[in-house]
Amino acid sequence: MKKKINFIIPGIIKSGGMNVIIEYSSRLIVKGYDVVLYYPLAYYNLSTGKNEYSLNPKRMSWTFQNYFNGIKNKKLIKDVVIKGVPIISDNFVRDADYVFATSWPTAFDVSKMSSSKGIKYYFIQDIETWDSNINLVYESYKLDLKRITICNYLKNRLLNDHGLVSEVILNGIDYSVYFPYINKYYDTYEKTISYIDYKLNKKNTESIIDAVKKIKSEYSSLRFISFGLERYHNHPDFVSFHKNPTQEEISKIYNESHIFIYASKEEGFGLPPAEAMACKTSVVSTRVGAVPEYSIDNQSVLFTANTSSESVYEKVKLLVSDNILNKSISENGYESVRKVLNWENSLEKFISMLI
């Protein structure tokens, strides 16, 4: 009989973290596991951690969006069963061998489930303090769940800040999507630089925009591309923006880019730099999340001194002005990420942790 795994997700959200859960789910199905993803039709209230229905227009809008996203994504996500339920509880979630919380509000719901729903795990992909009740976020880590984190940075945060032990499984990269298929010519003045536009302040998009304005003023032939779910910031006219691109379209942007900028102030993992490296794109990044775990400064990545626009500008200018360094960082980054981030290894370790 197939082993049953339930993943409890907070909603149908397009994000790197959601992509990781889908990747695990798809690969576990291939390995013979019976996997179902459950999400509440109403979004969690991040102040209370509760799955609340409300007549508040904004929350009603989120609920309808979540519902229709669920319908749409059932057609897009191959082989993975996704079920929207009124609330996350024993009444609406099937019995299984294992059940995984995937965000801090879901951790509280999973902790309350009966033992028939499976051995309880908490798959931690970030310290989720943004827009949330910080005390409840920290409390969720102390629940009686088996904790799995996606990098040593998070493992150390939980240990040092809360005295909590967790196991680490680094994410993988889908190299059938993220791979170099466009030849890059580094001895050119017409280099392309890309970055992501994010809504959250911690992603530090404004510093990137300030840096690209300065670098463009000195190197007029440079081309710039930005992309994101929405256009959250005012980008200069010389920046070409791509709204809500597919993974294949993102891969194409990386392939067209000589340099990718990542200036986040805090990350749980940091997948975009790894995806860019997999496409042989040189990366300028802040020292966040798992990026120092899959790359080496001045060898496979250039780390900024801090999160300021000036620091970003200095490292980008270094790559723009030094073609040999740009090519070296590109090639070393490609080799490094393929050695460290591998989905087969991640899946094997994940399965080994299932008691």
Side-chain angles (χ1 to χ4, degrees):
M1 183 180 296
K2 289 184 177 180
K3 292 282 189 178
K4 295 181 180 179
I5 301 176
N6 295 333
F7 286 96
I8 311 301
I9 59 177
I12 302 298
I13 306 164
K14 187 172 182 180
S15 66
M18 185 65 179
N19 289 341
V20 168
I21 294 166
I22 293 298
E23 194 71 41
Y24 270 118
S25 300
S26 300
R27 291 174 180 271
L28 285 165
I29 290 169
V30 172
K31 291 290 186 179
Y33 288 86
D34 179 355
V35 180
V36 175
L37 274 59
Y38 289 91
Y39 70 96
L41 293 175
Y43 279 129
Y44 287 98
N45 184 326
L46 296 181
S47 295
T48 65
K50 297 185 182 300
N51 179 219
E52 298 174 359
Y53 287 82
S54 170
L55 295 179
N56 177 287
K58 189 173 184 178
R59 287 195 61 80
M60 288 178 67
S61 173
W62 289 346
T63 297
F64 283 115
Q65 180 184 348
N66 205 30
Y67 174 74
F68 288 114
N69 281 349
I71 294 175
K72 180 173 65 176
N73 279 275
K74 284 178 183 177
K75 299 177 182 178
L76 298 177
I77 300 172
K78 56 183 180 181
D79 303 323
V80 179
V81 176
I82 302 178
K83 292 186 177 182
V85 294
I87 58 173
I88 300 299
S89 72
D90 286 348
N91 293 331
F92 298 104
V93 175
R94 68 175 182 170
D95 290 350
D97 298 284
Y98 313 99
V99 57
F100 282 80
T102 62
S103 67
W104 75 263
T106 67
F108 287 100
D109 283 343
V110 167
S111 71
K112 298 172 187 174
M113 288 182 173
S114 71
S115 59
S116 66
K117 304 306 170 183
I119 299 172
K120 301 172 184 180
Y121 292 80
Y122 190 176
F123 189 63
I124 301 170
Q125 299 195 70
D126 203 347
I127 306 298
E128 302 173 281
T129 52
W130 63 91
D131 298 330
S132 295
N133 184 321
I134 295 176
N135 290 331
L136 288 177
V137 173
Y138 292 158
E139 187 179 331
S140 75
Y141 301 134
K142 300 175 183 178
L143 295 170
D144 188 19
L145 308 174
K146 300 181 185 302
R147 291 172 290 274
I148 297 176
T149 60
I150 56 172
C151 63
N152 287 293
Y153 161 72
L154 288 175
K155 176 182 178 178
N156 293 333
R157 281 285 304 271
L158 291 177
L159 184 61
N160 297 333
D161 295 350
H162 306 285
L164 299 171
V165 175
S166 59
E167 299 290 339
V168 175
I169 309 176
L170 289 175
N171 290 330
I173 297 293
D174 188 346
Y175 296 112
S176 68
V177 175
Y178 298 103
F179 65 96
Y181 59 85
I182 296 177
N183 289 329
K184 288 186 174 71
Y185 298 97
Y186 296 93
D187 190 15
T188 176
Y189 294 108
E190 298 180 349
K191 292 183 175 68
T192 298
I193 300 173
S194 59
Y195 63 94
I196 304 175
D197 187 1
Y198 290 104
K199 181 179 181 180
L200 292 176
N201 289 332
K202 74 168 189 170
K203 299 291 189 175
N204 204 26
T205 306
E206 290 182 355
S207 288
I208 297 177
I209 292 173
D210 288 343
V212 302
K213 286 178 180 177
K214 188 171 182 179
I215 201 77
K216 177 68 172 179
S217 69
E218 297 183 27
Y219 298 89
S220 60
S221 61
L222 293 177
R223 176 172 174 253
F224 292 86
I225 304 174
S226 182
F227 60 95
L229 293 178
E230 298 285 348
R231 189 175 185 135
Y232 298 110
H233 293 80
N234 292 322
H235 301 272
D237 292 339
F238 58 78
V239 177
S240 173
F241 185 78
H242 298 251
K243 179 180 176 180
N244 195 19
T246 64
Q247 289 193 62
E248 288 72 20
E249 290 168 339
I250 293 172
S251 178
K252 185 173 185 291
I253 292 171
Y254 290 144
N255 266 274
E256 293 175 351
S257 302
H258 297 81
I259 302 165
F260 174 71
I261 308 173
Y262 197 69
S264 183
K265 296 177 181 178
E266 191 277 331
E267 285 294 330
F269 190 86
L271 274 172
E275 294 167 349
M277 290 176 186
C279 297
K280 279 196 173 181
T281 305
S282 297
V283 170
V284 169
S285 176
T286 44
R287 197 181 293 269
V288 291
V291 184
E293 298 177 39
Y294 61 72
S295 58
I296 300 173
D297 193 19
N298 295 314
Q299 181 175 318
S300 52
V301 67
L302 290 189
F303 283 126
T304 62
N306 51 56
T307 61
S308 69
S309 61
E310 184 64 25
S311 184
V312 173
Y313 157 78
E314 289 173 357
K315 295 298 182 178
V316 173
K317 182 176 180 179
L318 194 57
L319 288 177
V320 169
S321 60
D322 190 333
N323 296 330
I324 295 175
L325 177 63
N326 194 350
K327 183 178 181 181
S328 175
I329 295 292
S330 164
E331 293 178 345
N332 289 336
Y334 172 76
E335 296 294 336
S336 176
V337 78
R338 291 185 71 92
K339 288 178 182 177
V340 179
L341 304 182
N342 181 290
W343 267 122
E344 288 302 316
N345 292 342
S346 300
L347 183 65
E348 183 179 338
K349 189 169 184 180
F350 186 97
I351 292 173
S352 73
M353 291 184 183
L354 300 178
I355 300 172

